[in-house]
Structures are given as C-alpha cells and as structure tokens.
Amino acid sequence: MRCASWHPRVLQIQVSNALSKGWSVIGRLGEDGSTRRYTRVQKNHVSAILMECKGDTPGHRIDDFIRIGTWLRSIGLSAPEIYEGDEAAGYLVLEDFGDVSFKAALEKESPQKLYGLAADVLNHLRAVECPLVLPDYFRSHVHKGHRRIIDWYVPMVLGKFNDDALGESYLAAWQDVEDVLPEPQRGFLHIDFHAENLMFLPGKAGVKQCGILDFQGAMRGPAAYDLGNLLEDARIDVPDGIRQDILQRQEKDFVTWYRVLTTQFHCRLMGQFIKLAIGGKPQYLQYLPRVAAYLEHGLEDPLLKPVQSWFDQHGVTFGQVPRVDVSLVRPDAF
C-alpha cells in the first residue's frame, strides 16, 4: 500500500466510526486508488485494516469488495476476511495480511517460488467457473485503453498534434490482429494482478500463501490478461527464465492471447504514464524504458506485424523518454 494524502476530516469520521466499536488506531497505511484509504487498527490484541471507501462507481463500491472477496474465499483463495463494517457509512474492518507484498518478499524469497505461487493462483481461478456478474473486459475502459499510446505518447515523440485519422488507422491495425485470433478462454480477471497487490502469507499453505488485494475492479474476460500483468510488470524486472518457464506450460491459444493482451497493456501504459506526468505525477516516467522494452519485444511476434508496421510507417520509436508538452494533446484524448 502506498502513502496517502487524504482530507483529515473525512478520514477522522471513518476512524471515529471504528473507534466507537472498540478499535484503536495503530497507524495510517495509505491508498490503493482514488476512493480507498487504509488505517491499521487493533482490538483485543488483534490487528486489522480499516478500509474507507467513498466510491459509488463499478469496481469501487464496498459491495463489490464484499461479494468478490466472499467468492474468492469460497474457492480456497486468500482474500481478507471482513470482521465488521458499515456499508452505508463507507467502511469495513478487514483481516490484516501484514506488510510483506510479493515485491517486498522478493528481497528474501526465491523469485521462482513467488511467481510460481502467483501463477498457481491464476491457474486455480481458470479451473473454477465464476458465477459473479462482472463487467465485460472487451467493453471496458481497460481494453479501450490501448489507444492511450496514440493519444498521449505519439504526439510527444513526433512533436506534433495528431490528425483526425491517426487514431482510426492505429485501431484498424489492432483490429487486423484481433480478427485472426482464436476464441479466448474467458473467466474471472483480477485486472491489477501484480507483485504489489499480492501479499506473502508464509503461515498458510498452498495457494492460500498468496493474499489477494485490490480485486474490486474485477472483470470477465480472456484469462491470459492477468498473467501478462504479473510477468511483464512496469515496476520491477521479472527474470526472463521464470517468464518463459511459466509460459511454456500454457496452451498455444493462451500464449497467443497473452502476447496480444500484454502488448496492448504496454501500449496503454506508454500513454498513461505521459498522461499522469501531465497531471502532476512525473515519477511514472521512470517506468517508460522498461515498458518500452516489453513493447518492442512483443511487437517482434509475427502475429503483431500490422501494429509493428503501423509504428514503422509513422516513425514512432520507443528508445527515449519524450519531452512532455500538454499543448500537443488533443482535447478528445482518452
């Protein structure tokens, strides 16, 4: 969880609600998004996490957290237990998974062990039919997001405002790719399945050693998406041998979708990091070189030749972090 800034009065209201039920504050933890904040609390020597959530949009509601977490636990995975809470007031008191994310655990534990465990969790999810009503990935803002490389990154690289046809031709290149793909295996998607959203729980056994957080935005879609988030992480380097070992165990069609979805994911991030920098968060630009390397590697796949050809035709390269200039961004940028 990352350090947060949050209006003291709003946080105080939710903390006061929890304190009225006997919980005492240990310390503030941070945030995982724009609508959730966290405080570590304690009662009767039991540590817990107070999650405050004021959002009322799909993927950010407390009822999403409750129903998805309940289902994950019902199939033998580790999602935080709910000790108590008030949905109307906008808070829950949750099981405390501690402070050791998979990213932190990599300092001491074997990467093969941790990534193998996370892959086992995804295999477990693929083997179970999910009965939950969830948003469709292909109709979501996440899938649409692969156009962000055009809206935000390309103008910076080319140093000029995009004309009206540029985005259409880019999306047409991707459509040429998707038109020849096999039907994907569809199921539950976490959507943000990476090392900072997974907690290492060595006191548990099997797949329960992987504590799953931030699943409120789950969707239904192609199973390969989450594995791409895990193995081609913008924040940390995943050893290539581990990535190849995990992919070699997958079916051919799954790997095909992995390559397409993961390359689209990188296209989204290339634009999103520019957008965040323009919005006052330039720290995300540090991740561009790693994502660019992923993207260049992915585009080497013959399946993605239409997209590679599009970038070549328009002179778009990925070698350097471009200068950020908001005046080059179209008003309709996604």
Side-chain angles (χ1 to χ4, degrees):
M1 297 175 182
R2 299 177 288 281
C3 293
S5 58
W6 188 237
H7 194 290
R9 183 174 178 274
V10 176
L11 183 60
Q12 183 179 7
I13 291 172
Q14 306 306 341
V15 171
S16 297
N17 286 336
L19 290 177
S20 69
K21 297 189 177 183
W23 296 95
S24 60
V25 172
I26 298 176
R28 297 180 185 176
L29 292 177
E31 62 179 272
D32 66 355
S34 62
T35 63
R36 292 184 293 275
R37 302 297 183 272
Y38 298 89
T39 303
R40 180 166 276 127
V41 295
Q42 186 179 63
K43 181 166 69 173
N44 298 329
H45 305 291
V46 174
S47 175
I49 302 297
L50 169 65
M51 181 182 81
E52 184 270 338
C53 179
K54 64 185 182 71
D56 193 33
T57 57
H60 295 283
R61 296 188 297 252
I62 281 185
D63 64 324
D64 290 324
F65 184 94
I66 294 171
R67 69 192 184 94
I68 295 170
T70 299
W71 178 72
L72 290 171
R73 290 190 300 275
S74 76
I75 63 169
L77 297 175
S78 291
E81 292 279 357
I82 300 171
Y83 294 149
E84 58 185 70
D86 188 325
E87 191 172 337
Y91 78 93
L92 298 173
V93 180
L94 308 171
E95 180 182 2
D96 188 353
F97 280 167
D99 297 314
V100 184
S101 68
F102 271 38
K103 181 178 180 181
L106 284 168
E107 297 178 6
K108 296 182 179 180
E109 300 290 335
S110 159
Q112 289 87 347
K113 174 181 179 179
L114 293 173
Y115 283 104
L117 173 58
D120 287 345
V121 169
L122 293 179
N123 289 337
H124 189 88
L125 284 166
R126 287 169 62 189
V128 179
E129 179 63 31
C130 179
L132 302 177
V133 176
L134 298 170
D136 180 356
Y137 168 83
F138 288 109
R139 297 177 180 271
S140 74
H141 66 283
V142 178
H143 183 57
K144 181 182 177 183
H146 68 276
R147 71 163 295 136
R148 281 191 170 156
I149 194 170
I150 298 300
D151 290 343
W152 299 89
Y153 178 83
V154 168
M156 308 304 150
V157 172
L158 300 184
K160 62 181 181 180
F161 203 73
N162 288 347
D163 63 42
D164 291 342
L166 195 69
E168 293 179 7
S169 63
Y170 166 80
L171 294 176
W174 272 114
Q175 191 62 54
D176 288 343
V177 172
E178 294 185 4
D179 283 346
V180 300
L181 293 177
E183 184 66 21
Q185 177 187 0
R186 300 171 189 255
F188 176 89
L189 298 183
H190 181 286
I191 290 297
D192 207 13
F193 196 84
H194 60 76
E196 290 184 325
N197 278 342
L198 306 175
M199 306 301 290
F200 185 49
L201 309 175
K204 298 190 178 186
V207 290
K208 287 190 174 183
Q209 287 189 318
C210 177
I212 306 171
L213 303 179
D214 298 349
F215 43 77
Q216 293 94 328
M219 298 180 183
R220 181 174 179 83
Y225 181 87
D226 280 344
L227 189 62
N229 276 212
L230 176 71
L231 297 182
E232 299 189 20
D233 193 332
R235 303 161 189 81
I236 57 177
D237 291 317
V238 179
D240 187 61
I242 292 177
R243 184 184 304 112
Q244 294 305 320
D245 180 61
I246 292 174
L247 287 175
Q248 286 171 5
R249 303 175 196 173
Q250 312 300 326
E251 303 90 345
K252 180 180 178 181
D253 286 355
F254 183 95
V255 175
T256 296
W257 273 101
Y258 170 94
R259 178 42 52 214
V260 171
L261 294 167
T262 305
T263 305
Q264 289 180 337
F265 171 60
H266 300 322
C267 287
R268 184 174 98 234
L269 292 184
M270 292 292 287
Q272 192 160 307
F273 291 157
I274 299 292
K275 181 179 182 181
L276 287 168
I278 289 174
K281 298 180 179 180
Q283 65 269 28
Y284 287 94
L285 293 177
Q286 68 181 298
Y287 302 128
L288 274 179
R290 180 180 287 114
V291 176
Y294 288 143
L295 179 55
E296 289 179 319
H297 174 73
L299 290 172
E300 293 174 359
D301 191 310
L303 176 67
L304 296 174
K305 185 176 179 180
V307 180
Q308 176 67 80
S309 297
W310 188 95
F311 285 125
D312 290 342
Q313 175 187 348
H314 292 279
V316 179
T317 60
F318 311 105
Q320 296 180 339
V321 176
R323 183 176 68 88
V324 175
D325 182 352
V326 67
S327 71
L328 298 176
V329 179
R330 289 175 61 101
D332 60 353
F334 175 65

